[in-house]
Amino acid sequence: MSQELTLQQRLEALAGPDPLRRAVNEAVAALAQASIEISDLTCRGALAGITGQARGRNTDGDVQKDLDVRADDIIRAALGRLPIAVLASEEMADLDILNANAPISVAFDPLDGSSNINTNMSVGTIFSIMPTPSDASAAFTQPGSAQLAAGFVVYGPQTSLVLTLGQGVDIFTLDRDSREYKLTGSTVQIPPNATEFAINASNRRHWDLPVRAYIDECLMGADGMGGKDFNMRWIGSLVAEAFRILIRGGIFLYPGDARHGYEEGRLRLVYEAHPMAFIIEQAGGGATTGRQRVLDLVPRTLHQRVPLIMGSIKNVQRLEHMHTAPDVALETNAPLFGHRGLFRV
Ligand code: F6P
């Protein structure tokens, strides 16, 4: 790994002469440029007029903050100059068809986790690049496995760009002096078995049995069936959780639950779950709804929500097992059957 390799150099090395790959590279480079501008704004915060004030609601009912709107404008301006067939953004109700004959289409969440912006927590941009089918309006009704590239940027203490072009995962760090992304991690591999979980535990009473059983097993730690102590983290910012998992493993869950409107979880398939699943799988991890691989899912609608469970492969497989083998979930959920429970002492 060379500390000096820039994103541009890395993209050129990976693309070769293939015109489709070159179109992907141009889009990635434009997204990276846009993210530097967004990073400048997040760093300056209130000094740049970023207050975290609500500006209304997006099409999905989420509160839009001032930076959501600005980040969306910045990304659309950067991508609008390129040969791109369709743009889809969390902030737009419908597809934006630009040039139906162009080879690629881009979906993005301009500012994920923006409810955190005025608390000075990490937020990010997520993107997914698809090949354009013959009917351009069907660009985002392809399975996640069709993605040509996916990435996300975390605006945290450092600004980091995570990228897959389907050949492993690279991490780039923004060098503020040269205003370029530099390669700081290549062929990232998620540890297969980890002892850290992330879930919004305030929703426990709404979860279904397999999720409750899995988390209870984590909480039982060394005294439970898993036999290992776990640590818990919940940042409430998908990009920050995904970055942590890439660095040190663990499992993240935003499952469906019994709350009205949360039957399919909270996260959106096209511009959150699909790109995250592509990245996590490329780094050797797993991404599932509990019952289905996320990359096999074909979106029915642009803003469709989906349960997302992702991270270290063994942890994800254990959770999938609880979904497909209800006896395991039942047994784990009954404290009497725990390692030190009544029937195991
Ligand atoms: O999709 C927006 C988002 O902020 C994600 O980044 C994060 O994982 C989730 O919502 C947090 O949800 P909750 O409000 O339930 O903690």
Side-chain angles (χ1 to χ4, degrees), residues 112-113 115 200 203 234 236-238 252 254 266-268 272:
D112 181 69
S115 58
N200 184 341
N203 299 319
W234 182 251
S237 170
L238 177 62
F252 166 93
Y254 213 119
R266 176 184 170 112
L267 303 174
R268 272 51 65 100
E272 291 183 311

Side-chain angles (χ1 to χ4, degrees), residues 279-323:
I279 292 163
I280 295 289
E281 280 203 9
Q282 283 290 314
T288 178
T289 65
R291 293 184 170 84
Q292 272 180 294
R293 179 181 176 233
V294 170
L295 289 183
D296 289 340
L297 299 176
V298 176
R300 294 182 307 275
T301 59
L302 181 56
H303 298 289
Q304 176 184 337
R305 294 175 193 256
V306 71
L308 177 62
I309 293 154
M310 63 179 190
S312 295
I313 189 74
K314 298 274 183 217
N315 302 64
V316 170
Q317 284 168 350
R318 174 73 181 154
L319 195 124
E320 280 177 321
H321 187 52
M322 296 221 171
H323 280 79

Side-chain angles (χ1 to χ4, degrees), residues 115-167:
S115 58
N116 293 325
I117 193 78
N118 51 353
T119 67
N120 200 11
M121 277 168 54
S122 296
V123 291
T125 296
I126 311 172
F127 59 89
S128 160
I129 303 182
M130 282 285 184
T132 310
S134 49
D135 171 8
S137 65
F140 299 108
T141 54
Q142 306 180 77
S145 53
Q147 288 172 101
L148 297 167
F152 66 90
V153 180
V154 189
Y155 310 109
Q158 306 142 29
T159 291
S160 309
L161 186 152
V162 175
L163 177 68
T164 184
L165 302 173
Q167 304 165 55

Side-chain angles (χ1 to χ4, degrees), residues 6-30:
T6 65
L7 172 65
Q8 200 54 43
Q9 290 164 334
R10 182 76 170 150
L11 287 174
E12 273 160 27
L14 289 173
D18 178 30
L20 185 61
R21 284 283 156 205
R22 298 207 80 82
V24 170
N25 279 3
E26 279 183 1
V28 171

